[in-house]
Amino acid sequence: MATPTPGAGDAFAEAAAEAVQTSVMAIRLVLAIADAVRRQQQKMAGKEEELPDAEKSAAEASGEVKRLLPSTFSAALLEGADWPQLAQQLMALRSAGVDLETILPRVGEIAVTVRDQVVANAERVAREGTDGWAKALRETLPAGPVREAILSSPAWPEMAATMAKLDERGVDVRAILASAHEEGVGVDRAVAKVLAAAEVPTTSRDAKLSYGPMTTGLDIPKDLDLGDRERALRQLAISPSENQRFTRMVREAMPGREREADLIVAARQWPLVAARMADMEGRGAPVAEHLARLSKDTSWEQGPRSQMGRRLVQAANDALRKSVGEPVGSGPRVNTAAARSTSSSVGPIKAAAKGAAPATPGVAAHREAGPAVKGGKTR
């Protein structure tokens, strides 16, 4: 056997230690997401609980962690400066109805995968800020309580920073997010059960009314709340800076018509327009080129002044959905009220057809709108 070169053992030990620390970082991220879901569920029920006593939690949680996680990871967690806070999160999850004997072993499996990725992959530098990871969430996780809980959590900036560090070390962060989403769904259901809340949210009025051309192809949560703009943008994974940029793009597309551009942005359905723009950007479509048609085709000017905002939103959506060469407002119009009344769907989100692979993992896109109702007998 060849004699190791001087320092080779130290380098190997360093790499192994880094792999363990990165795995522990991933464990913290998954548990932070689980705790964010717990907080969100309890907050919505008006029963958010404070974290339990740190000292007592540390004593109780240490045994669970040692028993349910590989010793390498449990030792690193217990030695960490943030262990008391992590122990509080674990005990709060248990108190809320989450089975630690189920979630911790699965978190351990995620940590093992991360460790192996760090060892196998050369370190690379790919720094992304919070906005980049908000986009990754939109593309990786389906709209719903888990994604909203992450983006609304006070710990979101820290989570985004953790994702960036994991990514720099060669870890497949999207795979971790997909796994964390499954755990988050379990946490959401467990906490909901304890709070005697429904596991599946009732389809909101906004989600029902938005069904049709405004949401075709988009990932819309069943409890969409357009009455709370900040929350609606969060539900659709549109970050504040993205919202500002999309607002600026609309204004730049309508030079000399700032008032009309502001009517689009001020409209109740603006978050859906912004979501359409984000979806197009994710597919590499020329958003600005589509929006420019609002100045070229001004058919939205025709009609009562009081309904200008509504017509502008429809025109913006048409401009974004249709090919650049196709005139805005052309083609048959769909009576969405009639479509809803005859649809067997219970909400705006339908599972993808069998045999068709989704564009991104974990995303359930809004099904395509059906054809316009032909003439004939009506009820």
Side-chain angles (χ1 to χ4, degrees), residues 63-314:
E64 300 287 341
V65 167
K66 288 178 182 178
R67 185 167 61 88
L68 298 170
L69 287 179
S71 58
T72 306
F73 303 140
S74 62
L77 286 172
L78 294 174
E79 293 169 3
D82 64 343
W83 166 242
Q85 292 77 28
L86 187 61
Q88 286 179 297
Q89 288 181 344
L90 285 169
M91 291 301 97
L93 286 169
R94 188 178 71 176
S95 176
V98 178
D99 185 359
L100 296 185
E101 294 203 10
T102 298
I103 190 173
L104 282 178
R106 288 202 293 252
V107 171
E109 292 174 6
I110 295 171
V112 170
T113 301
V114 169
R115 180 193 63 196
D116 293 344
Q117 287 176 342
V118 174
V119 171
N121 291 288
E123 185 174 346
R124 62 186 176 85
V125 178
R127 299 184 180 280
E128 289 190 56
T130 300
D131 289 350
W133 290 111
K135 179 182 178 183
L137 282 176
R138 179 172 61 242
E139 295 173 347
T140 306
L141 306 187
V146 177
R147 192 169 79 183
E148 184 185 354
I150 295 171
L151 292 172
S152 63
S153 171
W156 163 239
E158 185 178 342
M159 291 185 205
T162 299
M163 293 178 203
K165 290 177 182 176
L166 289 169
D167 187 60
E168 289 171 14
R169 298 182 186 185
V171 176
D172 185 350
V173 179
R174 290 173 183 263
I176 293 179
L177 288 174
S179 297
H181 174 261
E182 295 305 314
E183 301 308 322
V185 169
V187 170
D188 179 69
R189 290 174 177 169
V191 177
K193 186 175 181 180
V194 172
L195 295 172
E199 293 185 4
V200 181
T202 303
T203 304
S204 67
R205 184 172 184 272
D206 282 329
K208 291 177 181 177
L209 292 178
S210 300
Y211 180 78
M214 283 298 299
T215 55
T216 299
L218 296 182
D219 184 24
I220 305 299
K222 290 183 69 176
D223 57 346
L224 179 66
D225 182 6
L226 294 176
D228 183 339
R229 172 159 295 195
E230 184 178 342
R231 185 189 177 201
L233 291 169
R234 202 165 59 230
Q235 287 181 302
L236 297 166
I238 306 295
S239 68
S241 61
E242 280 184 311
N243 183 51
Q244 292 173 4
R245 183 164 58 82
F246 292 151
T247 298
R248 187 168 60 251
M249 289 175 69
V250 170
R251 288 171 178 160
E252 290 174 351
M254 304 179 72
R257 297 177 179 271
E258 289 75 14
R259 183 179 179 280
E260 286 77 4
D262 287 344
L263 284 175
I264 297 175
V265 176
R268 182 185 177 89
Q269 292 177 307
W270 164 250
L272 295 175
V273 177
R276 177 76 62 192
M277 295 169 72
D279 177 69
M280 292 178 67
E281 280 194 342
R283 293 185 282 105
V287 178
E289 193 173 337
H290 279 259
L291 287 174
R293 299 160 66 200
L294 289 171
S295 293
K296 298 175 182 177
D297 183 347
T298 58
S299 56
W300 45 264
E301 291 182 326
Q302 302 169 11
R305 189 74 183 174
S306 60
Q307 298 177 8
M308 176 73 77
R310 183 184 303 177
R311 294 198 302 275
L312 279 164
V313 168
Q314 292 174 345

Side-chain angles (χ1 to χ4, degrees), residues 5-18:
T5 57
D10 292 340
F12 178 80
E14 263 185 48
E18 180 186 359

